Amino acid sequence: MKVLIAGCGFVGERAADLLHAAGHEVIGLTHSPESAARLAAKPWRTEACDISDRDSVAKLNVTGIDAVIHCASSSRGGAEMYQAVYVDGMRHLVTAFPQAFALYSSSSSVYPQVSGEIVDESSPAEPERDTGRLLREAENIALNAGGAVARLAGIYGPERSFVLKNLLEGKAAIEGNNGQGRLLNQIHADDAAAALAHIVTQRLGGIFNVVDDAQMTQKQCSERLCAIFGLKLPPVREPDPNRKRGWSHKRVSNTKLHASGWKPRYPSYFDALRDDPDLVPSIFSLVQGASEVPLPRQPNILLIGLMGSGKTTVGRIVAQMIGFQLVDTDHLIVETAGKSIPDIFASEGEAGFRLRESTALRSLLGRRGCVIATGGGIVTQPRNLPLLRHLGYTVWLDADPERLARRTAMNSNRPLLNGEENPKAKLERLLAERKPLYKSLADLRIQTAELTPQETAYGVMESARVFFARRQKLESVG
């Protein structure tokens, strides 16, 4: 199948990747040469084309198109942009490729219901605002051409989750519905893209709601997020009358799409928080980069440093001193995998181990009262760094490579050192690579060469106590 995708943004790019991986020929249209250049490394073809301009579409040098997917964005514009990109763009595509199966990616916001009722594809979709009416007009162009409409719920994914980002930045609110807030209908970008690919390849005509399996109110969602991230519940307020697509409160059904054979990878938002390796770290990074509000710190103590630096030994002592639970990320990995670390390295390589390490770290979200001993290389994965900063007070246990080599000499559970003729040289290289990362993360660095494990543990405990006491005092003043 030869598929033309107009709009290769958050969802369109993913859909193009999926279709290409499945063996289909893909041509992606972007609004400008600059955006086409961004996708130059993709294995599928890209062309710059302004679909709102009829002549630009007519001049496309493409033939034999079997399907067209319109998922271009209005770039947050108003009714004028909706008319140009959605209505005119859809009309121009259908006119230029009359034999192609046309799929228009619309929005579940066309359902204006406000009473919390279940809405399916047969429910009235008569939006009051101009933007909503223009979406419906674009839908009808695709349907009248014998095509399909995918009504996408609120899209989220890595670097894009307004629910979590607004909560972390203190901008969230619970709107209306007697203090419960509206129902949130969401879909992960990967699942949205999979739905578009599914509809096109199966040539499923008609309207399909694209939403996950677990709608919840704003209050229900906020309560769970606040429990995980240690945040205060956002305030209750009346709905914003200036929302571009209006305020609605409904439970969008995906029964029809499920019945066609589609199944979401992330059935709920909280499944994605747990299983998408980049979702939470990317939102943390966005908040850290664009907001003056600091990320919340959980009341845990994290120990970082090279293998052999004493993280597990010191962690056990600290945990006993203050009544915390000791958590060792390497032990979590072994328990989950059902095999040893050397066996994981042998069967999955270091890359597979690092994926498991990131999963183990995400599993600690929401945990409190823990001393967390981490693997020496956990800092090498960028996605782990924001999580480590959030999870607690971080202490770097530092020791010279010669001492570390002696400590690890009799331990066969160190895959990065196994078979090394000169372990000390390997540890020197690892320290040189990781030292800047340890330094950037650490709230405290303890050089352990002249200290006993008990002395090191006391330093960890006392510095953490002072840190959290000061933080609590600042929060109470604020």
Side-chain angles (χ1 to χ4, degrees), residues 306 398-407 424 427-428 431 448-450:
L306 280 183
D398 191 16
D400 62 90
E402 184 174 347
R403 190 177 301 269
L404 294 176
R406 289 200 302 269
R407 290 177 181 174
K424 177 175 173 286
L427 287 165
E428 287 173 343
L431 182 58
T448 63
E450 304 302 326

Side-chain angles (χ1 to χ4, degrees), residues 178-419:
N178 299 315
Q180 298 301 305
R182 59 189 176 87
L183 278 162
L184 297 173
N185 297 278
Q186 300 191 88
I187 187 71
H188 192 286
D190 289 350
D191 287 328
L196 297 184
H198 172 72
I199 293 169
V200 160
T201 54
Q202 301 298 314
R203 298 183 73 88
L204 303 175
I207 300 172
F208 294 88
N209 293 332
V210 182
V211 63
D212 67 24
D213 299 338
Q215 293 78 50
M216 63 196 115
T217 64
Q218 287 177 306
K219 184 176 181 181
Q220 290 170 329
C221 184
S222 296
E223 285 176 336
R224 289 189 65 179
L225 289 174
C226 288
I228 291 172
F229 297 109
L231 298 166
K232 295 180 180 178
L233 199 64
V236 174
R237 72 182 184 200
E238 290 304 306
D240 181 2
N242 297 316
R243 285 175 61 90
K244 183 165 64 174
R245 295 179 182 174
W247 184 89
S248 64
H249 173 52
K250 73 267 182 172
R251 192 180 302 274
V252 180
S253 168
N254 64 11
T255 300
K256 181 179 178 181
L257 188 58
H258 261 295
S260 74
W262 171 86
K263 185 178 180 180
R265 180 180 180 183
Y266 304 108
S268 79
Y269 182 69
F270 289 93
D271 289 319
L273 287 184
R274 181 191 65 221
D275 296 333
D276 182 337
D278 295 314
L279 178 56
V280 173
S282 67
I283 302 304
F284 278 175
S285 295
L286 283 177
V287 172
Q288 286 179 319
S291 173
E292 295 181 358
V293 179
L295 283 177
R297 289 276 202 112
Q298 300 290 44
N300 301 309
I301 299 171
L302 284 88
L303 302 178
I304 61 174
L306 280 183
M307 64 182 87
S309 60
K311 300 185 294 292
T312 301
T313 300
V314 170
R316 185 177 294 111
I317 298 170
V318 174
Q320 291 171 347
M321 283 178 168
I322 59 178
F324 273 25
Q325 179 185 0
L326 176 66
V327 177
D328 188 305
T329 58
D330 282 350
H331 292 172
L332 289 178
I333 295 166
V334 169
E335 289 173 7
T336 302
K339 50 187 174 182
S340 69
I341 290 175
D343 286 344
I344 294 172
F345 267 77
S347 60
E348 303 173 24
E350 184 176 357
F353 176 80
R354 296 302 172 202
L355 286 175
R356 289 184 177 275
E357 193 170 48
S358 295
T359 300
L361 195 63
R362 289 198 308 280
S363 75
L364 298 176
L365 287 172
R367 296 280 290 273
R368 296 170 179 82
C370 296
V371 178
I372 303 169
T374 64
I378 202 166
V379 298
T380 63
Q381 304 303 301
R383 64 166 64 103
N384 294 341
L385 302 183
L387 293 178
L388 290 165
R389 292 188 181 97
H390 162 72
L391 280 171
Y393 178 75
T394 303
V395 180
W396 170 21
L397 302 186
D398 191 16
D400 62 90
E402 184 174 347
R403 190 177 301 269
L404 294 176
R406 289 200 302 269
R407 290 177 181 174
T408 57
M410 304 305 293
N411 190 334
S412 62
N413 203 35
R414 310 283 188 182
L416 291 180
L417 294 183
N418 289 348

Side-chain angles (χ1 to χ4, degrees), residues 77-128:
E80 184 177 342
M81 284 296 293
Y82 274 53
Q83 174 70 45
V85 175
Y86 298 145
V87 179
D88 296 344
M90 191 70 238
R91 184 177 292 115
H92 296 156
L93 291 169
V94 167
T95 300
F97 306 100
Q99 304 304 315
F101 178 80
L103 171 59
Y104 176 66
S105 58
S106 185
S107 167
S108 62
S109 67
V110 298
Y111 297 113
Q113 287 79 354
V114 295
S115 301
E117 60 265 54
I118 296 174
V119 297
D120 61 21
E121 291 80 358
S122 66
S123 300
E126 300 169 356
E128 297 179 355

